Amino acid sequence: MAEPLIELRAVTKRFPGMKALDGVDFQIFPAEIVCLAGENGSGKSTLIKIVSGVYDFDEGELLVDGKPVADFGPRAAIAAGIQVIYQDFSLFPSLTVAENLALNRLLSEGRTFVDPKRRRQLGAEALARLDVAIDLDATVGTLSTADRQIVAIARALMSDTRLLIMDEPTTALTGREVDRLFAIVREIQAKGIAVLFVSHKMREMLEISERITVFRNGRKVEEGPTGEFNEARITRAMTGHDIGHERHVWAGDDTEAPRLSVRGLSAGETVRGVDLDLHKGEIVGLSGLLGSGRTELAMALFGMEPHTGEIRLDGTPLRLASVQDAVAAGIAYVPEDRLSEGLFMRQPIARNVIASAIGRATRGPFLDGDRLNALAEQTVSDMRIATPDIDKHAGQLSGGNQQRVVIGRWLLTNPKVLILNGPTVGVDVGSKAEIHRRIRELAASTGLAVLMISDDVPELIQNCNRILLMHRGEIVDRLDARSVEEDDIHGRLKGLR
């Protein structure tokens, strides 16, 4: 049997007050695809940073090609052929594709002047290795997430890469883009390169990997060939207990007047003549391919997109010319990107929580600190946000806890309609289950009507009463979530391409 490309033996990494890794053994062999699974805080990121030389470790041993290595820093990791693609891709958005691809090579060659011809040649060669076509003169900031990711992969492979580490690579990708990425990953493997694939999405782990390793609380708790795993086993290993996947049953009556009624809603060229009803306490799912118009529909309902058509809330016609109009009417919107649209990352949890309902924390014209703290503490309790105190900055929380802060903030506005756009993107399985529990509970107990927009088909099936499919600005399919199967929805979505 071949020597492992990288091996950790009994590695322990400590931070003040905690063990991030506790006696971990880990191996990855040449040209294999391994998935690393675990909840936020399980030790995945720490392992990645040790393997890539960013972190040193306190105990244990690291081996490359079977040989122990000391002082394994980033330069040594790169020299060993290890490259990491983080979630932000670490690209320069204001530079062109060719400039991003060629920059490191030109710097390593010690060139004083940039030769545009040489730059384009390097860029073209990098993309040719992946057999993809992207405009070399396009500014990276104008590319889709999927194309930016391909640029990052192409750049990583310009060196003598032997191990490519991909951290949550499918978080912002559509189903079609995930298929394209997986084809590229398999091509990389065929070239003899190993891939360490870090993901929260179990269906994808089972599809792309040959071996799965699961971490919990800094320890490796499960490992084996992918064929020995299913979603239930991965979930149990990640959380330490079983998480139910029973379907939510709405107890309402769809013959009653809807809470939200939309007729003939159009917004530019992206939303065309949409009819939609949401009843009290009902959770309705909405899915569709990239460019289907689903986010634009959500933004129109939240007063962020100029639109025509009729919108009624509890029978009353609404004019939604602004976000303020929507909030005043009782509509709340949790956006798709919590980092750039949903949170003030450098502000405390308390201020984030109260941002959309500031009037509830004022006394006359002044902010009342006691009221603010009481509301923040109540939200932390209700949403089960894991934090030592409400003064901790939102950027210091895990992805799941950040999402709970965003949802909790909007719940403080006492909405009648809640629009959730990608409610559990980048969230681990435990936090996902907790977010789902809270949304179901609120819908059932308060009559909150929920529009859940998601690419995660199991999420829609488990939580929704009905599922709508959108294509080219129109709702083209309406499904009963109580009886539809996952493969059926995937098949219908593929048929829309």
Side-chain angles (χ1 to χ4, degrees), residues 14-270:
R14 296 184 182 88
F15 292 106
M18 66 172 292
K19 275 186 182 179
L21 292 180
D22 187 2
V24 166
D25 295 329
F26 178 79
Q27 298 175 328
I28 186 163
F29 291 85
E32 73 166 342
I33 302 174
V34 176
C35 267
L36 183 60
E39 293 195 277
N40 290 323
S42 63
K44 303 189 307 295
S45 295
T46 302
L47 181 136
I48 289 173
K49 289 177 179 177
I50 287 174
V51 170
S52 59
V54 175
Y55 286 167
D56 197 0
F57 47 90
D58 300 302
E59 297 172 16
E61 195 173 31
L62 184 148
L63 297 85
V64 178
D65 296 323
K67 299 175 182 177
V69 179
D71 299 322
F72 192 70
R75 288 179 181 272
I78 292 170
I82 299 167
Q83 292 282 340
V84 184
I85 300 175
Y86 293 103
Q87 291 182 53
D88 63 0
F89 306 141
S90 301
L91 297 171
F92 297 96
S94 59
L95 300 183
T96 67
V97 171
E99 288 166 341
N100 269 276
L101 289 171
L103 183 61
N104 288 347
R105 176 69 66 82
L106 294 173
L107 288 173
S108 68
E109 292 175 353
R111 292 179 177 258
T112 306
F113 299 100
V114 176
D115 179 354
K117 195 170 182 180
R118 170 70 171 156
R119 182 177 62 206
R120 287 184 62 82
Q121 177 193 1
L122 290 170
E125 289 174 354
L127 295 178
R129 290 189 187 96
L130 298 178
D131 193 25
V132 294
I134 298 176
D135 182 2
L136 290 169
D137 296 319
T139 303
V140 161
T142 67
L143 299 180
S144 68
T145 301
D147 281 348
R148 291 201 305 273
Q149 187 174 68
I150 289 171
V151 172
I153 293 171
R155 185 182 63 181
L157 297 181
M158 290 180 74
S159 57
D160 295 325
T161 304
R162 303 169 65 204
L163 168 61
L164 183 64
I165 301 173
M166 306 182 76
D167 187 13
E168 296 290 349
T170 65
T171 295
L173 302 187
T174 64
R176 187 175 187 177
E177 291 167 342
V178 171
D179 291 343
R180 183 189 187 198
L181 173 64
F182 282 4
I184 289 172
V185 168
R186 293 186 180 104
E187 289 175 14
I188 291 170
Q189 181 189 29
K191 299 177 189 298
I193 298 169
V195 179
L196 179 59
F197 196 92
V198 183
S199 179
H200 289 309
K201 299 182 180 181
M202 287 176 280
R203 184 185 180 100
E204 294 176 2
M205 296 181 207
L206 295 169
E207 180 180 345
I208 192 61
S209 68
E210 298 167 325
R211 187 159 54 89
I212 293 176
T213 300
V214 185
F215 277 25
R216 185 171 75 244
N217 297 329
R219 295 182 177 180
K220 183 176 72 176
V221 293
E222 289 269 11
E223 185 174 54
T226 301
E228 296 178 358
F229 285 86
N230 56 25
E231 291 191 24
R233 181 179 172 186
I234 297 171
T235 298
R236 193 180 309 114
M238 288 172 64
T239 65
H241 58 269
D242 292 316
I243 291 178
H245 295 287
E246 69 280 357
R247 300 188 189 204
H248 173 59
V249 178
W250 178 54
D253 183 357
D254 59 10
T255 64
E256 293 183 352
R259 166 137 279 183
L260 179 72
S261 176
V262 177
R263 292 293 179 269
L265 183 70
S266 296
E269 296 297 317
T270 56

Side-chain angles (χ1 to χ4, degrees), residues 283-353:
I283 305 174
V284 173
L286 179 64
S287 193
L289 304 177
L290 184 69
S292 64
R294 60 191 197 178
T295 294
E296 290 79 8
L297 171 61
M299 293 171 70
L301 293 174
F302 196 54
M304 298 173 69
E305 282 279 329
H307 56 273
T308 58
E310 182 181 74
I311 303 172
R312 289 178 176 265
L313 186 64
D314 290 332
T316 302
L318 298 181
R319 179 180 177 275
L320 303 178
S322 67
V323 171
Q324 289 76 15
D325 289 343
V327 175
I331 299 174
Y333 175 54
V334 175
E336 189 172 17
D337 187 346
R338 62 178 172 266
L339 300 183
S340 64
E341 300 177 75
L343 289 170
F344 303 102
M345 301 298 284
R346 296 183 181 180
Q347 290 294 322
I349 294 167
R351 292 192 179 187
N352 272 277
V353 163

Side-chain angles (χ1 to χ4, degrees), residues 440-452:
R440 290 181 181 191
E441 181 183 86
L442 283 164
S445 64
T446 69
L448 178 70
V450 180
L451 181 63
M452 181 180 286

